[in-house]
Amino acid sequence: MIRITQLKLPVGHKPEQLRKKIARTLKCAEGAFEYEIIRQSLDARHKDDKKFVYTVDVKIPEENKILRKVHNNNIMSITPKEYQFPEPGTEELNVSPVVVGSGPAGLFCAWYLARAGYRPLVIERGQEAQKRKETVDHFWKDGVLDPDSNVQFGEGGAGTFSDGKLNTLVKDQNGRNHEVLKRFVEAGAPKEIIYQHKPHLGTDVLIGIVETLRYQIEEMGGSFRFETKLTDLRIENGKLTAIEVNGDEIIPTEVCVLALGHSARDTVSMLHKRGIFMEPKSFAVGLRMEHPQKMINYDLYGEEENEFLGAANYKVTHTCENGRGVYSFCMCPGGYVVNASSEPGMLAVNGMSYQARDSKNANSALIVTVTPEDFPEEGPLGGVQFQRNLEKAAWVLGKGKIPVQLFGDYKAHRASTNLGEVEPQMKGGYVLTDVRSILPKSIGDSIEEGILAFGRKLEGFDRDDALLSGVESRTSSPVRIVRDKTGLANIGGIYPCGEGAGYAGGITSAAMDGIKIAEMISSKYKFYS
């Protein structure tokens, strides 16, 4: 196989132009080869000459002859490596493994276990996807929260109500990343996500995909129980023997995958009381900021709209004078700010986009890292209390609605009373107020300094009528549940997994960790029969 990198073509090019480019590069006929796009990225450094940059793999007869006649550092011979799921181990497994949580970590762990014959049971405290969507829409309309089925909990996990980004910074030599994208495509995602630099799905597409993954798992022998919450563990001689669900039902199991998600605070507290080793973890908090999407497009593309590129996205970082870093997170082009609360009397926000990314505004979290030294109490759950304090303040300030403030008023430490040109694009009610008052001074000051710095990079980013809303507190888990090299916690049979356990950050990395844990279970146990 021949790999070619740095193939550049104008945005808007036709597929045949890429084939011609490959043929010219390899000095061969256009019909002499087959090719697969491995990666597509955008070079927008010259706004009047934007180009797509491709990496392709080419299958062609007489490969060595071709390689001898071309002399180009961007052309190389490669041997593709296929993903391999491990052979089953030798220990007996007497009952089905249980996967707690149906977010990406839980779904992908269950998918690979089911395919390998282990017949996993997936339990999920929230509702199946369509019922969950109705519940969430109802909450956004009238403010009535279901603590067990909301933006955080339910089939698909928290990522279902997000931009659906699939890029990850995790370096994986085992092919799990590609496996995740392949599974998504087979479940209905556009095939372009396999090679796009920053692929995304959108909430409307994700709902159908997670349902399809569930159907596939069921067809392979797995099963699901929704509105079923893990409430306790049964442990004998340092090993798991059963779990308790909904406070009154016992399910025997020797293997339990904890794919909880980053917001299952009550479950994490129970695990802590049961002696599961965990530790506090740094994470980040801040606010969500909205700008006109056309302004962001112009800053990055040099034009307000481009039919081939869609809504532009940005990534910005700044180190403040106080030593803290502030950076953008979960940027949602053409998206919405959503009320993402999961506990009564507390309020958190997140960003969400549909596949079309066609809202009037771009939004992104602007967040500042906090460490255990910032937490109000010592111990593994100090970060949870830090989050709750912020979310309680946000709920009180907005009386249950999303608190919003214009950046000009944020700088002046005064409550907002009127909007400017930027109109909120939000799911859930909002109220104009003094959002800055929610934040600790060091975080509030860092965000202001960061926005002013970003305004020097992106024109208009620091405009006075840009909108800030809060609080963005669920960026990642504030806790890491400790596991060893084999994936096990300190209690035998318990496998912490995914973002909620502190081993992932985002849809793809969580799904990859789910596959990793499935591999570890398979390597140890025989098929359940």
Side-chain angles (χ1 to χ4, degrees):
M1 187 79 74
I2 295 175
R3 175 161 292 178
I4 310 174
T5 62
Q6 294 297 310
L7 288 174
K8 296 185 179 183
L9 288 168
V11 299
H13 69 82
K14 305 295 184 184
E16 55 266 26
Q17 290 176 267
L18 179 55
R19 176 169 284 276
K20 289 178 184 290
K21 184 87 170 182
I22 294 169
R24 287 197 300 271
T25 303
L26 295 180
K27 301 177 182 179
C28 66
E30 291 180 23
F33 58 86
E34 299 174 2
Y35 75 91
E36 178 185 3
I37 300 173
I38 302 301
R39 184 178 176 86
Q40 178 202 59
S41 58
L42 174 67
D43 182 351
R45 290 174 295 178
H46 305 287
K47 293 183 173 58
D48 57 350
D49 187 28
K50 296 180 285 292
K51 294 184 183 297
F52 282 130
V53 184
Y54 290 94
T55 296
V56 298
D57 283 354
V58 182
K59 186 177 181 180
I60 187 169
E62 300 183 315
E63 176 183 312
N64 291 333
K65 182 179 178 181
I66 294 289
L67 290 170
R68 283 195 298 269
K69 72 178 182 180
V70 295
H71 302 284
N72 187 325
N73 290 335
N74 294 323
I75 302 173
M76 64 206 77
S77 177
I78 66 161
T79 302
K81 183 180 178 182
E82 294 294 324
Y83 170 77
Q84 295 291 328
F85 192 77
E87 294 295 318
T90 57
E91 289 193 32
E92 296 283 349
L93 191 60
N94 298 311
V95 289
S96 291
V98 175
V99 178
V100 182
S102 66
L107 280 175
F108 276 78
C109 184
W111 197 99
Y112 281 82
L113 287 175
R115 188 176 69 170
Y118 292 90
R119 298 193 296 182
L121 166 64
V122 182
I123 65 170
E124 166 59 55
R125 67 191 292 169
Q127 298 165 312
E128 51 265 69
Q130 285 297 335
K131 287 185 179 179
R132 177 191 182 197
K133 181 181 181 301
E134 293 172 6
T135 298
V136 170
D137 286 341
H138 188 59
F139 167 61
W140 286 338
K141 182 179 179 181
D142 61 20
V144 177
L145 175 69
D146 182 339
D148 289 319
S149 194
N150 44 61
V151 172
Q152 308 297 342
F153 301 134
E155 185 175 23
T160 302
F161 293 94
S162 71
D163 183 55
K165 290 180 181 61
L166 299 179
N167 52 302
T168 177
L169 298 177
V170 174
K171 302 300 180 185
D172 176 55
Q173 302 301 316
N174 299 297
R176 298 186 192 108
N177 190 348
H178 192 64
E179 278 291 295
V180 170
L181 298 178
K182 279 172 52 181
R183 296 282 86 80
F184 276 130
V185 170
E186 290 174 4
K191 65 180 186 301
E192 290 81 10
I193 68 168
I194 295 287
Y195 58 78
Q196 288 174 331
H197 176 48
K198 293 183 178 180
H200 99 110
L201 293 173
T203 289
D204 46 341
V205 175
L206 270 166
I207 288 173
I209 288 171
V210 298
E211 289 178 322
T212 299
L213 289 170
R214 187 217 316 163
Y215 302 149
Q216 292 172 346
I217 292 166
E218 290 172 334
E219 287 172 359
M220 293 186 289
S223 58
F224 284 76
R225 287 185 56 179
F226 294 98
E227 300 180 63
T228 302
K229 183 165 74 172
L230 175 67
T231 50
D232 208 348
L233 305 175
R234 295 289 186 269
I235 301 165
E236 294 180 10
N237 300 318
K239 293 184 178 181
L240 181 73
T241 60
I243 62 170
E244 178 193 276
V245 299
N246 295 339
D248 59 6
E249 180 185 354
I250 302 300
I251 300 176
T253 188
E254 303 165 48
V255 171
C256 180
V257 178
L258 297 176
L260 305 173
H262 59 36
S263 294
R265 296 164 174 170
D266 50 358
T267 306
V268 170
S269 179
M270 178 274 291
L271 295 171
H272 181 50
K273 291 176 182 176
R274 283 282 170 251
I276 304 296
F277 291 168
M278 57 185 68
E279 57 194 16
K281 178 175 122 345
S282 297
F283 61 105
V285 298
L287 303 172
R288 203 146 268 271
M289 192 168 195
E290 291 186 82
H291 300 91
Q293 183 62 55
K294 287 184 177 180
M295 184 198 87
I296 299 298
N297 291 349
Y298 191 83
D299 282 340
L300 295 170
Y301 295 160
E303 52 189 333
E304 290 189 348
E305 294 184 6
N306 185 297
E307 62 177 305
F308 303 110
L309 300 179
N313 64 77
Y314 61 80
K315 183 177 182 180
V316 287
T317 64
H318 175 71
T319 301
C320 298
E321 291 183 2
N322 62 14
R324 292 184 183 265
V326 57
Y327 56 98
S328 58
F329 171 80
C330 188
M331 192 266 159
C332 296
Y336 298 85
V337 176
V338 305
N339 188 330
S341 305
S342 63
E343 290 184 297
M346 302 183 207
L347 191 144
V349 297
N350 194 15
M352 183 190 90
S353 297
Y354 296 112
Q355 171 70 21
R357 287 177 164 173
D358 55 1
S359 158
K360 292 190 297 185
N361 289 353
N363 75 70
S364 177
L366 298 180
I367 53 177
V368 179
T369 299
V370 292
T371 69
E373 287 71 35
D374 296 302
F375 300 164
E377 59 186 53
E378 294 183 352
L381 304 183
V384 173
Q385 191 58 49
F386 185 90
Q387 289 176 321
R388 280 175 163 160
N389 290 346
L390 289 175
E391 291 172 19
K392 286 176 183 175
W395 193 91
V396 169
L397 184 66
K399 296 181 174 60
K401 296 181 178 180
I402 300 171
V404 177
Q405 186 175 25
L406 279 66
F407 181 55
D409 295 325
Y410 183 92
K411 290 185 293 183
H413 297 260
R414 64 174 177 250
S416 293
T417 55
N418 295 291
L419 295 171
E421 292 182 6
V422 184
E423 299 178 359
Q425 299 293 298
M426 293 187 171
K427 299 290 186 179
Y430 70 89
V431 59
L432 294 175
T433 184
D434 180 8
V435 174
R436 188 167 188 160
S437 65
I438 298 170
L439 302 173
K441 184 177 186 304
S442 61
I443 294 175
D445 292 350
S446 297
I447 290 173
E448 178 182 347
E449 183 182 330
I451 292 171
L452 293 172
F454 302 150
R456 296 190 287 272
K457 301 175 182 179
L458 296 172
E459 185 176 351
F461 198 94
D462 57 349
R463 56 191 286 171
D464 281 352
D465 64 347
L467 301 176
L468 291 161
S469 55
V471 60
E472 180 90 18
S473 52
R474 310 287 184 91
T475 56
S476 66
S477 175
V479 172
R480 178 174 288 109
I481 304 175
V482 179
R483 71 187 188 196
D484 63 18
K485 292 187 298 183
T486 66
L488 282 166
N490 60 300
I491 301 297
I494 293 179
Y495 289 84
C497 179
E499 187 162 354
Y503 295 96
I507 293 171
T508 300
S509 63
M512 290 166 63
D513 200 57
I515 297 174
K516 182 177 181 178
I517 292 298
E519 293 168 0
M520 291 175 173
I521 293 170
S522 178
S523 297
K524 183 174 183 178
Y525 294 101
K526 293 180 182 179
F527 299 137
Y528 164 62
S529 60

